[in-house]
Every structure is written in C-alpha cells, then in structure tokens.
Amino acid sequence: MLTGGVTSRRSLFGIAGGVVACSLCGMGPVKAQTNQARSVSGGCWMAKEEAAPLLSAAQDVISYASGNEPIVLKSGNAVFDRSLAKSLARMTALFGVLPGFAYFDEPMGEGSNAYATSAVRLDRDDGTVLFGTRMLKGLLGRPTAPDAAVLAVCAHEYGHIVQYRRGLSARLNAGQSTVKRQELHADYLAGYFAAVRKIENANFSSVTFATTMYDLGDTAFHSRNHHGTHDERAAAVMAGFSARKERGLTVDQAIADGLNYVGA
C-alpha cells in the first residue's frame, strides 16, 4: 500500500475484512494523545445498537475472503486500495475470521478512531470494523511506511474479532478495571501478523507495527478505556512478532500464548 489522500464524502463507504469491538482512539495525524474513547459496553466495545446507525449508512460493505473481490474502498489511491484488500484477505486466512469493514466519518470533537463491533452487516461474517476516515488520513500522512501503519491498526482490530469469535473477551476482562489486557492481546496478535508478513517479504516494515501502537499508547490509568502505556503496547507487538518469527508458534498457539502474556 502506498500513501494517498482520502475522499471527503460525508458518509460511510465500505470495504471488507474488519474486526470486533475496540476503539484505538485519540490519535491525531501522527502524534498520540491520551485515550479519549467514549465508554462503550463497559470499555471500548461498540455495542450493536451503537454500531447500527453507522452500518445502516454504509455503502457496499464487502468481506474480502480472497482479495480479488470488487474494490469499493476509495482512498484516493487505487494501488493502496488493491493492496489493502489483499492484506485484509491475508488476515482473514491467517486468523480464520471473516468480518466486514466500513469507513466512517468521525464526529467532530471525538478525535480519530477505529471501532470494532460484533454487529453483523453481511451474511457469514464475524462482526464489523469501522475505520475512521480521519484516522486513515492521519496514518496515510505519516512520513514513513504509512501502508504498514494502516495494516497495524487493521491487524489489531482483527485480533479483537479473534477474541470475539473464540469467546475470549470475558476471560481477558475478568476482574479488570480497564480493557488493557484485551487491547494488549490484540496488539500481540497484530505483532504475530507482522511477523508472518516479514517472513513472506523481508522488506516489509514490521517495526512500524510497534511504533504505531507505541504512538497509540496512553497513561489514562484510571479510565476504563486505558489501553496500555506506549511501552506496553509496543512490547506486546514485539512479543507477538517473536512468537512467530523466533519461536515459530502456530496461530492457535500464539492466541493462547498471548493470553498468558497479558496475564489472562
């Protein structure tokens, strides 16, 4: 994927391959800010009823299973769009989930966000990721490896879909005052995906996954939506990367190892 502008259309426009329910939230174009996510379903999860208005406005939502489906995503860069479709299909194959994906315009004053929800728009999908156009524009405006930064966010959200599909959320959040364990587990799985891509392509900018999540860290320790500090989020990505690149764990083994990593 390459850099490129995003359309300014004030409506949802969709593609495919998304995730379950989380908000990375609070990120400006490059600089991380304190997590400003609204509290949804006791944390960052967007409840089905909250997602419904966004999904009902979405156009042409597609779940990419092969990467060869018709492209309905319009970032303003056709090469980026095609590459993203193929990457989302790669996540689908790796993690064994098939979510939908839709862009949405974040409300003014709420920062740039990517939410995930268990709400289903399509037949046979595993939930939906709602990726903010402001967040997309910010990530694509990064000076280095903007394509990998977008993939890092998508892979994190796919990690949440895995949690939803396998019924892991209750375990991750049990006895916790914040959603940090759930978020770090998703970061771990994003790192695992980065390692898979690095093995496939030595030039893949896997380090961008760690720096992107570092940028999205926060110090809102007393907020339900605390996702982990900058260092904790980067470290979780690197742990997931090592699980595949150095230790050769399978996906199932990595999911379990990630639970141990975050103390769940």
Side-chain angles (χ1 to χ4, degrees):
M1 294 179 289
L2 305 175
T3 56
V6 294
T7 62
S8 59
R9 188 167 69 193
R10 297 299 302 176
S11 64
L12 281 168
F13 50 103
I15 67 171
V19 204
V20 64
C22 145
S23 167
L24 289 164
C25 58
M27 193 190 83
V30 175
K31 179 181 178 182
Q33 302 171 0
T34 299
N35 193 315
Q36 299 290 330
R38 47 184 171 161
S39 179
V40 180
S41 301
C44 302
W45 297 77
M46 177 173 281
K48 292 181 179 180
E49 57 272 19
E50 289 196 79
L54 299 179
L55 291 173
S56 66
Q59 302 175 17
D60 300 322
V61 179
I62 298 174
S63 288
Y64 285 130
S66 68
N68 295 317
E69 291 82 1
I71 298 294
V72 296
L73 167 63
K74 302 297 181 185
S75 70
N77 186 312
V79 175
F80 172 89
D81 293 342
R82 172 53 66 188
S83 180
L84 180 56
K86 291 186 177 297
S87 294
L88 294 176
R90 185 71 183 87
M91 291 180 200
T92 285
L94 177 66
F95 292 123
V97 294
L98 183 60
F101 186 108
Y103 282 120
F104 76 103
D105 291 326
E106 301 98 322
M108 293 301 295
E110 289 197 10
S112 54
N113 292 286
Y115 293 104
T117 176
S118 59
V120 172
R121 170 65 185 270
L122 304 171
D123 291 338
R124 297 175 286 106
D125 75 14
D126 296 313
T128 309
V129 65
L130 298 167
F131 203 116
T133 55
R134 194 151 58 239
M135 170 166 271
L136 179 68
K137 185 175 181 179
L139 292 173
L140 291 179
R142 292 171 70 103
T144 58
D147 53 338
V150 173
L151 283 188
V153 173
C154 290
H156 171 96
E157 299 296 348
Y158 265 85
H160 283 303
I161 279 290
V162 171
Q163 295 166 353
Y164 168 69
R165 177 74 177 268
R166 299 194 180 209
L168 301 176
S169 299
R171 175 176 172 179
L172 285 161
N173 290 317
Q176 303 300 298
S177 61
T178 74
V179 295
K180 184 174 80 169
R181 290 202 316 198
Q182 188 171 13
E183 298 307 319
L184 295 181
H185 186 258
D187 289 342
Y188 179 104
L189 294 181
Y192 185 90
F193 176 79
V196 170
R197 291 292 292 114
K198 189 69 172 181
I199 291 169
E200 295 171 344
N201 177 8
N203 294 322
F204 182 76
S205 183
S206 55
V207 68
T208 299
F209 277 53
T211 58
T212 299
M213 292 308 159
Y214 178 92
D215 287 347
L216 289 165
D218 70 85
T219 55
F221 303 115
H222 301 295
S223 168
R224 174 67 181 167
N225 292 315
H226 175 48
H227 283 38
T229 66
H230 304 288
D231 288 339
E232 286 174 331
R233 299 202 67 177
V237 171
M238 291 187 288
F241 182 89
S242 176
R244 179 65 186 93
K245 187 70 163 58
E246 307 300 332
R247 300 163 61 198
L249 299 189
T250 66
V251 171
D252 288 340
Q253 290 171 335
I255 292 169
D257 189 69
L259 292 172
N260 291 331
Y261 176 81
V262 301

